[in-house]
Amino acid sequence: MMVQEGPIQLVCLTASSGVPLFTRGASRQLPFSIIGSLNGVHMFGSGQGVVLSSCETEEGGKVVWRIFQDSVMLIAVSGGHQAGSSKGERVHLQRLLENVWSSMVMVLGQDELANVRNVERLKKDLRSCFGLIDLLLEDQQEGILGQLTHCADCLLPPQPAVLQEAVQGFAKAADSEFGCLLVHGRIVAATEMWWRLAPQEIVLLSALMLSLSDSASASCDYPVFLPQGSPTVAHRLLCFRLLPGADVCVLCGPTPSLHGAESGLVGRFWSPLVDIVRDCLAIRERSLPASVSLRPDVLAFLLINRENHRSICSVLPPLCAHPQGDPALPSKARCWELLKLFYIFCMTRYFKQEEVSPPTEEKEEGSHQGNTEDFVHGLSHQPLQCYLVTDECKSFGLQTSQHQLFLLLPPVVPTFALHTVATQTLSTITTATAF
């Protein structure tokens, strides 16, 4: 049985002196004595020439440390779990720390974090990161898995060519090559240069847009740094709400002004397309056009395009009556969690994940390059399929040269039929959408 994820607490300290900068996460904060101990044991290991990257408590809790730019230490602490998910949860926490650091760079810039001159001022400045960091910690947005996969979460619209043309025209009129249309944090259309950003940057920009959309303002002018492309020079992120849940944004320089773009460009490009944007909002649950018909026994899926680091995912309502006497199907929220857990299960044991994060000076045991099980490295081939049978569902993973597909199906589906269902689902989606 795949276990349930527990609350995660995040601690940020200065790497040199261990001064706490902030804590986020579970409502019950860690006592200062425990925070001091976590920092102290890491410092002791460093003094002995040992890099302490992670540990596990007797009750199953996990702790992961990471130092960035020899300046900031991030510590992630998770609650106790049943045995059996240690490696997968460690991978999850490691990726979380990478995303949190990149989020801090995106909001404040690398210089301010790498060269801490005034700790109290930095504490105050870091408050502007809390909305984005809390979004990463909660990780409860349905249809958003990019924080884990480092692939851009996408929604495939019914009329992609029309929206693509509008995004390109809107960005060009705003003196920018970087434009994007999002629906509830998922990319519907983007310019070619937007897709050329690092995958992690695309994921975090989408998350930032999602956090900004919670504000009452229909538009905003927000300075952002690109953690890999421009960590020390800020760009302007102009965001405009077209409809509740639908936003368009551009990365640009000094021009145009927010008011000028809002009054002169938004209505011109997007007013004629309101109905098409509304159609995109209507398929938020599926991430696919209504014309794409999937098998009724597919509970949920995650499809990753390995070539361009994009993904689509969905939890689907049952299309047929659930027979009496059969095991109850997992709830929608549980399906999202099971989908994430199965992805981690596959990627830490069988499938290959191309590393798209920037190299860091601190190479740790258990980093993503070494997350697969030892016995896989001894095989003469790369596993292409795997499945998992639990009390709640059956899961199947399929890997091709271009795609990775992760499926959840009801327990009553025969195990021998899982491969057929997976190949049919992959063919149906890719043929209809060219994803």
Side-chain angles (χ1 to χ4, degrees):
M1 178 178 181
M2 288 190 277
V3 299
Q4 192 124 1
E5 295 181 349
I8 297 174
Q9 292 201 48
L10 178 73
V11 181
C12 179
L13 313 96
T14 58
S16 57
S17 57
V19 176
L21 298 174
F22 67 82
T23 60
R24 307 299 294 175
S27 57
R28 186 177 179 181
Q29 299 293 335
L30 292 172
F32 181 78
S33 59
I34 293 181
I35 294 176
S37 298
L38 292 174
N39 177 60
V41 70
H42 188 278
M43 291 183 64
F44 176 79
S46 298
Q48 305 302 313
V50 175
V51 176
L52 179 60
S53 60
S54 65
C55 76
E56 183 173 348
T57 69
E58 293 181 353
E59 292 77 19
K62 313 291 186 304
V63 183
V64 173
W65 291 261
R66 187 75 176 271
I67 292 180
F68 296 89
Q69 294 289 318
D70 294 324
S71 175
V72 172
M73 174 188 288
L74 290 175
I75 307 173
V77 182
S78 71
H81 278 281
Q82 301 177 26
S85 63
S86 174
K87 191 160 196 168
E89 189 174 2
R90 188 169 72 247
V91 171
H92 183 203
L93 295 177
Q94 289 168 344
R95 179 132 289 184
L96 172 65
L97 295 188
E98 292 175 9
N99 289 334
V100 169
W101 165 255
S102 294
S103 299
M104 294 161 60
V105 173
M106 179 170 285
V107 175
L108 297 180
Q110 185 172 284
D111 286 345
E112 185 169 349
L113 297 168
N115 305 295
V116 181
R117 300 177 182 87
N118 188 317
V119 173
E120 294 305 317
R121 178 184 172 184
L122 180 58
K123 285 183 182 180
K124 178 186 278 189
D125 291 342
L126 282 168
R127 294 175 188 171
S128 59
C129 306
F130 288 173
L132 182 53
I133 291 174
D134 289 346
L135 194 69
L136 298 175
L137 280 172
E138 292 167 4
D139 198 18
Q140 297 297 319
Q141 294 73 40
E142 294 182 353
I144 304 295
L145 298 180
Q147 300 156 18
L148 178 63
T149 65
H150 275 191
C151 294
D153 294 293
C154 298
L155 181 149
L156 305 184
Q159 301 183 52
V162 175
L163 295 173
Q164 183 67 35
E165 182 180 356
V167 168
Q168 292 176 177
F170 180 74
K172 184 177 180 180
D175 296 326
S176 173
E177 294 182 300
F178 301 87
C180 182
L181 171 66
L182 297 103
V183 166
H184 293 289
R186 284 179 277 190
I187 298 176
V188 177
T191 62
E192 180 182 353
M193 291 303 293
W194 187 277
W195 288 122
R196 290 189 183 182
L197 295 172
Q200 187 193 35
E201 292 174 341
I202 297 175
V203 168
L204 292 179
L205 282 170
S206 298
L208 178 61
M209 286 280 292
L210 198 58
S211 68
L212 293 175
S213 68
D214 294 334
S215 64
S217 175
S219 59
C220 67
D221 186 342
Y222 198 86
V224 296
F225 300 81
L226 299 177
Q228 298 180 44
S230 181
T232 58
V233 178
H235 298 264
R236 293 171 64 217
L237 178 66
L238 302 186
C239 307
F240 306 95
R241 182 167 305 158
L242 306 179
L243 292 170
D247 301 272
V248 65
C249 67
V250 293
L251 281 173
C252 61
T255 58
S257 67
L258 180 66
H259 175 72
E262 186 174 23
S263 60
L265 300 180
V266 175
R268 175 176 138 205
F269 283 93
W270 296 104
S271 291
L273 304 180
V274 168
D275 289 338
I276 297 178
V277 174
R278 192 172 283 116
D279 289 341
C280 295
L281 290 166
I283 62 169
R284 170 196 175 188
E285 299 287 338
R286 300 184 83 243
S287 298
L288 292 169
S291 58
V292 180
S293 179
L294 300 181
R295 291 177 55 114
D297 46 9
V298 174
L299 297 178
F301 73 88
L302 165 63
L303 177 60
I304 293 174
N305 188 311
R306 303 173 66 191
E307 294 182 350
N308 56 29
H309 303 291
R310 304 177 197 179
S311 70
I312 53 173
C313 57
S314 181
V315 171
L316 305 170
L319 298 181
C320 53
H322 186 61
Q324 286 187 340
D326 286 351
L329 298 178
S331 66
K332 185 178 181 181
R334 180 58 176 161
C335 279
W336 280 119
E337 187 171 29
L338 289 170
L339 195 59
K340 289 188 289 186
L341 292 172
F342 182 61
Y343 170 83
I344 294 174
F345 172 85
C346 294
M347 301 310 296
T348 55
R349 289 167 174 80
Y350 303 109
F351 291 168
K352 179 182 179 182
Q353 182 172 19
E354 292 78 13
E355 187 57 43
V356 295
S357 300
T360 58
E361 64 274 9
E362 183 179 337
K363 294 296 183 181
E364 301 175 3
E365 182 183 358
S367 67
H368 296 299
Q369 289 86 351
N371 276 334
T372 50
E373 297 285 358
D374 292 338
F375 75 86
V376 173
H377 296 301
L379 298 178
S380 59
H381 65 282
Q382 172 67 42
L384 301 178
Q385 303 170 27
C386 67
Y387 71 94
L388 185 66
V389 177
T390 70
D391 296 335
E392 297 176 277
C393 66
K394 290 183 179 178
S395 310
F396 192 87
L398 177 66
Q399 178 170 260
T400 70
S401 59
Q402 186 177 357
H403 294 98
Q404 289 172 337
L405 176 66
F406 306 88
L407 279 184
L408 299 188
L409 301 114
V412 295
V413 174
T415 303
F416 65 81
L418 297 179
H419 175 263
T420 300
V421 175
T423 53
Q424 288 180 359
T425 301
L426 178 60
S427 177
T428 298
I429 296 176
T430 55
T431 302
T433 65
F435 180 75

